[in-house]
Amino acid sequence: DLETGAQLMVLKGGHSAAITGCCLVPEKNRVITSSWDKNVNAWDLETGKILWTAAQGGLLLSCSVSGDGKYVASASDMENALYINCADTGQRLHCMQGHHKSTVMSCQFDAQSQHLASVSADRSIKLWDLCSHKTTLTINSAHTNVISSCCFTRNGHYLCTASWDRTLKLWDVQTGSFRTKGGVQLSGSHDGSVSSCAFSNDASILVSGAYDRTLTLWDMTALCRTLVLKGHSDWVTDVDISADKKWVVSSSKDSTVRVWNIEQSENIPAVIESRRTQGGFQILKGRGRSPKWNSLARSDAVNCLLSVWRMREKLFSLSDGENQPDHQMRVLSTEGSRQAPSCPSGPLSALQLNRHCPRPKTAY
C-alpha cells in the first residue's frame, strides 16, 4: 500500500530466475510477469495464484499487455524473437523469430492495441501491426548503441526510445516526419546508459531512468529537462509515472523501489529557469496548469536533488530487514487513506521499499 507502506501480497513460486517485467491487465485483477526462466506467468491478484504459464523459447527481457487486455507480448533473446499470447488463456498466437538481427530488449503495445513496438541491441526499431500481422515500420540505426526501452504516448502518435548511447529520441510514427527530419533527440542529462522511459497519460511529461543512478523529468511542451531526481545507489532499471502526474516510481539494481512526489516540481526555481533557458518545438500546445500548493520542495541548482515534504506529514522509508533475493514480486496498492505515519527527521527524497530482486552479475 503506497500510503502506509504495508505489504499487501507476495506472489511466490512462479519463477525460478530473475523477473524482468510485470504488467497489469486492464479491467482485470491480474498481472503478467516475464522472467529469465523463459516463462510468462499470469497471476490472480485476489488469490495470489498462477492462472497460466506460457513457456517461450529463450530468456525473456520484457513483457507488455495490449490496451484492450487481449494480448500479452514478450521479448526473447532466443532467435531474437517476439511472442504474442492470449491474455486469457496463455495460448501462443504469434511467434516472430528473427524479428531483429540481435537481442530484442523491449516491447510495448500502443494504447489503441493496433501496433506492437520493439527495440533491439541491433539499434533498430520495429512496429508490428496487429491487424495485418506484418511489420509496417522499421527504423535502422536509430541510435549509436543498444536501444534498451521504448514507450508510446497515449494517443499512439509518438514513440520514445531510450538507449545506451545516453540519449532518448522521439519518433512521430503517425506522420512519419522522422523520415526527413530524423528523430528528436533528448540528451545532456544522463551520464550513463538510459535504461527506461515512460510518458504521462497526457504526454506532457517524460520520465527517464539511467545507469548513472538518476531519473530525469522532461517537459514535452518545450522539450527540455526540468528535474533530475537523485537517491538510488545503483543503476535505475525502470521508471513509471502515475495517471495524476503526482508520483514517479523507480526500481533499481540497489534492490529498492522508490516513489517520488513531483506534484509541485513546477514551482521549483531551477525548474522554472530550466524551462526559460531551454527550448524546442512543441509536441503539445495549450497545456494548462492549475497546481495546488500542498508540498514544499528544495532544489540544488539546475541538477536538482528533490527533497519533498508534505505540508502536514513527511514521506517515510520502509525496510523489512531482509537481504536475500527470492525472485518475488511485491504488490502495492494506491487505494486507502491519505494518512502517512511519522518518519525519522531529515530530508527524504522518496518512499523507499525493499524490492528483493537479484543483482545482475554482469555490468553492461
Side-chain angles (χ1 to χ4, degrees), residues 185-228:
Q185 181 169 294
L186 301 176
S187 60
S189 181
H190 291 294
D191 294 327
S193 301
V194 186
S195 62
S196 48
C197 54
F199 280 110
S200 61
N201 275 355
D202 63 358
S204 63
I205 300 173
L206 175 69
V207 183
S208 59
Y211 291 168
D212 62 5
R213 301 175 294 177
T214 69
L215 293 78
T216 296
L217 270 61
W218 305 85
D219 185 322
M220 290 292 97
T221 300
L223 285 181
C224 68
R225 178 191 64 191
T226 59
L227 194 64
V228 176

Side-chain angles (χ1 to χ4, degrees), residues 15 20-21 31 39 43 71 77 90 106 236 270 294 302 305 319 327 331:
H15 292 290
T20 56
V31 67
N39 291 327
W43 305 77
Y71 307 108
D77 71 338
S106 180
V236 176
N294 63 358
V302 175
L305 170 58
S319 173
H327 312 300
V331 181

Side-chain angles (χ1 to χ4, degrees), residues 46-356:
E46 290 185 2
T47 65
K49 295 182 178 179
I50 296 176
L51 298 173
W52 55 259
T53 296
Q56 312 293 38
L59 301 180
L60 300 180
L61 303 182
S62 173
C63 64
S64 180
V65 176
S66 60
D68 57 14
K70 294 181 179 180
Y71 307 108
V72 174
S74 54
S76 169
D77 71 338
M78 181 67 70
E79 298 180 331
N80 312 319
L82 274 181
Y83 299 95
I84 297 180
N85 296 70
C86 174
D88 287 332
T89 65
Q91 178 185 358
R92 183 181 296 178
L93 303 177
H94 303 282
C95 175
M96 290 82 79
Q97 295 182 348
H99 193 59
H100 287 271
K101 296 179 181 178
S102 187
T103 301
V104 184
M105 301 294 292
S106 180
C107 58
Q108 185 71 46
F109 284 104
D110 62 9
Q112 293 73 32
S113 305
Q114 296 177 350
H115 298 98
L116 175 66
S118 59
V119 294
S120 169
D122 66 10
R123 301 177 293 158
S124 71
I125 305 166
K126 289 181 181 286
L127 255 63
W128 194 79
D129 189 281
L130 269 71
C131 294
S132 64
H133 300 164
K134 295 180 179 179
T135 300
T136 56
L137 175 65
T138 300
I139 307 174
N140 292 313
S141 300
H143 286 266
T144 59
N145 206 331
V146 172
I147 306 176
S148 54
S149 183
C150 63
C151 62
F152 279 102
T153 54
R154 192 165 183 83
N155 61 8
H157 195 136
Y158 289 90
L159 178 73
C160 178
T161 53
S163 172
W164 290 3
D165 65 10
R166 304 183 180 184
T167 71
L168 299 106
K169 287 189 178 181
L170 303 171
W171 308 89
D172 186 340
V173 294
Q174 190 172 90
T175 67
S177 61
F178 63 85
R179 290 186 173 90
T180 56
K181 300 177 181 179
V184 178
Q185 181 169 294
L186 301 176
S187 60
S189 181
H190 291 294
D191 294 327
S193 301
V194 186
S195 62
S196 48
C197 54
F199 280 110
S200 61
N201 275 355
D202 63 358
S204 63
I205 300 173
L206 175 69
V207 183
S208 59
Y211 291 168
D212 62 5
R213 301 175 294 177
T214 69
L215 293 78
T216 296
L217 270 61
W218 305 85
D219 185 322
M220 290 292 97
T221 300
L223 285 181
C224 68
R225 178 191 64 191
T226 59
L227 194 64
V228 176
L229 304 177
K230 299 179 181 179
H232 283 292
S233 60
D234 213 327
W235 297 349
V236 176
T237 55
D238 204 1
V239 295
D240 208 345
I241 183 169
S242 63
D244 59 10
K245 300 189 295 183
K246 294 180 180 180
W247 305 93
V248 168
V249 64
S250 57
S251 60
S252 170
K253 192 185 165 195
D254 65 14
S255 301
T256 67
V257 170
R258 291 176 181 255
V259 180
W260 311 79
N261 187 327
I262 63 167
E263 186 174 2
Q264 297 302 326
S265 62
E266 292 182 351
N267 297 302
I268 298 175
V271 174
I272 297 171
E273 178 65 15
S274 181
R275 278 206 184 90
R276 187 184 68 81
T277 57
Q278 300 184 71
F281 74 84
Q282 294 188 358
I283 284 183
L284 298 175
K285 297 181 179 179
R287 177 165 60 91
R289 303 184 182 96
S290 57
K292 297 180 180 179
W293 187 261
N294 63 358
S295 298
L296 295 176
R298 183 188 69 195
S299 64
D300 300 322
V302 175
N303 271 347
C304 310
L305 170 58
L306 182 64
S307 298
V308 179
W309 289 265
R310 301 297 296 259
M311 271 297 223
R312 295 188 178 136
E313 66 224 4
K314 294 180 182 177
L315 299 180
F316 58 95
S317 116
L318 174 73
S319 173
D320 62 8
E322 298 177 7
N323 295 309
Q324 297 300 319
D326 52 13
H327 312 300
Q328 297 173 3
M329 186 183 68
R330 311 270 165 174
V331 181
L332 307 174
S333 169
T334 58
E335 297 178 357
S337 169
R338 299 288 303 177
Q339 183 67 28
S342 60
C343 69
S345 60
L348 291 171
S349 59
L351 163 63
Q352 181 175 330
L353 303 174
N354 274 0
R355 194 182 181 203
H356 298 283

